[in-house]
Amino acid sequence: MNPKQLVRLSNIIGTISIILLIYWVFAFITIEVFGLKVFRENLTESFYMSILGILALMSGALIINIMFNLTRIAQKHNQDNELSGKHKKLVWMLLASFPLLLLVLFGGDYLTSRQKEQLLVQSAQSIVETNSKKSQHLLNYSFDKQWIHETEEILDILSKTDDNFPHVSILVKDTLYNEAVFLGFTNERYYRNDTITPVKRDYIRKTTQPERDYLNSVFEEGNNAYRYSSHDGRYELFYPVYSGEQRMVIYFSEYQRYGKIGS
């Protein structure tokens, strides 16, 4: 291979590397800025490492050009016009592809969110349908030591037997000092010493205004629709359960660094 062919090959490699780097950096910035969860862990790590590979490829192509100390030979006027037209087409094609890349990234994030929603809803349904005795106990809410301890045991067993139970709690509505409050019970024991009487204020669930509006609609108006939200890798599901006048909300929350697409 003569020097001219080496330079031509290095220019091709350099051009392809630059285009790939632009795409990769654009995708990386979009994912980080908008908190998109698109690919699974292995693909995400490979994506980040590929940026270093592209930079290494560009460096190699640049070194080849420097070693042979070649410069671009001026083209004839008509050839320059022909090349200029090709370059314009390439630029327009490159620019037009960015909206498509955005669509792919946001679409991947949307699919990840929908898959997580389905998994959390299925997990909530399994508590109600396949654990009828346990769900009936949870519905028979009363703020006493026995109900709280049994609830903690139930949630602890569920969280250890199902991978889709990252953080689960039971939400109920109660009163404290004649004020309505929402209490949350998890598998974590607040009182290790059984001689200590539980205090309601230790179980108060902090909520946002939209969450309070939703919970009030469940406990006061009989709303039976679940509430799902996802943002920046955090997924939350409020799943209401009814049995006559007895009501509770199963609450799931999870933070996930990676998406669901890929292997």
Side-chain angles (χ1 to χ4, degrees):
M1 184 176 290
N2 57 46
K4 183 177 180 180
Q5 292 174 324
L6 285 174
V7 171
R8 182 179 180 185
L9 178 61
S10 65
N11 286 336
I12 294 174
I13 293 175
T15 302
I16 294 175
S17 299
I18 291 173
I19 294 174
L20 288 177
L21 185 62
I22 292 173
Y23 279 121
W24 257 238
V25 171
F26 178 79
F28 175 80
I29 293 174
T30 302
I31 289 173
E32 292 299 316
V33 170
F34 293 98
L36 304 181
K37 306 301 174 184
V38 183
F39 305 112
R40 289 184 182 272
E41 181 176 0
N42 291 340
L43 281 181
T44 302
E45 298 296 339
S46 299
F47 171 77
Y48 293 156
M49 291 300 297
S50 65
I51 294 179
L52 295 178
I54 293 173
L55 289 174
L57 202 61
M58 290 177 59
S59 300
L62 178 61
I63 290 173
I64 291 176
N65 276 279
I66 294 176
M67 286 176 59
F68 286 93
N69 194 24
L70 296 172
T71 58
R72 183 179 180 273
I73 300 175
Q75 304 291 329
K76 291 183 179 180
H77 181 71
N78 59 344
Q79 290 178 328
D80 285 340
N81 290 337
E82 181 181 352
L83 290 173
S84 177
K86 291 182 178 180
H87 290 162
K88 288 181 179 180
K89 289 182 179 179
L90 180 61
V91 170
W92 281 112
M93 290 176 60
L94 184 63
L95 293 176
S97 63
F98 283 108
L100 180 60
L101 181 57
L102 277 177
L103 182 63
V104 171
L105 294 176
F106 278 94
D109 181 71
Y110 175 81
L111 291 177
T112 295
S113 178
R114 295 285 74 80
Q115 289 182 17
K116 177 57 65 175
E117 178 182 0
Q118 293 175 2
L119 289 174
L120 294 180
V121 170
Q122 290 172 2
S123 297
Q125 290 174 342
S126 70
I127 293 180
V128 180
E129 297 173 1
T130 63
N131 300 278
S132 58
K133 291 184 178 180
K134 294 177 181 178
S135 61
Q136 190 58 47
H137 161 78
L138 297 175
L139 281 165
N140 291 327
Y141 163 72
S142 61
F143 193 84
D144 57 59
K145 191 180 301 181
Q146 180 179 356
W147 185 91
I148 293 174
H149 286 179
E150 288 186 20
T151 298
E152 291 169 346
E153 292 293 331
I154 291 173
L155 296 180
D156 186 55
I157 293 173
L158 291 174
S159 63
K160 290 179 178 178
T161 56
D162 193 328
D163 289 336
N164 296 322
F165 283 74
H167 299 285
V168 58
S169 58
I170 302 300
L171 305 183
V172 298
K173 189 172 186 178
D174 206 331
T175 57
L176 180 62
Y177 304 126
N178 296 322
E179 294 287 338
V181 293
F182 297 107
L183 306 182
F185 301 90
T186 68
N187 62 334
E188 299 179 1
R189 300 191 65 174
Y190 281 89
Y191 299 95
R192 299 293 179 180
N193 189 342
D194 291 338
T195 61
I196 300 178
T197 303
V199 180
K200 280 187 181 181
R201 65 173 177 269
D202 292 334
Y203 292 89
I204 292 177
R205 155 80 186 185
K206 292 183 179 180
T207 55
T208 62
Q209 187 60 51
E211 290 174 346
R212 288 193 294 274
D213 292 340
Y214 169 77
L215 291 173
N216 280 321
S217 70
V218 171
F219 290 102
E220 302 298 331
E221 303 171 11
N223 180 14
N224 60 0
Y226 67 80
R227 182 181 189 272
Y228 174 77
S229 63
S230 63
H231 176 69
D232 197 18
R234 181 173 179 83
Y235 306 94
E236 294 181 304
L237 174 70
F238 294 82
Y239 191 89
V241 181
Y242 294 85
S243 179
E245 295 299 320
Q246 299 170 320
R247 300 172 186 177
M248 69 173 181
V249 173
I250 304 174
Y251 170 74
F252 293 94
S253 66
E254 181 182 8
Y255 176 76
Q256 184 173 291
R257 292 183 60 193
Y258 303 102
K260 290 290 185 181
I261 298 176
S263 57

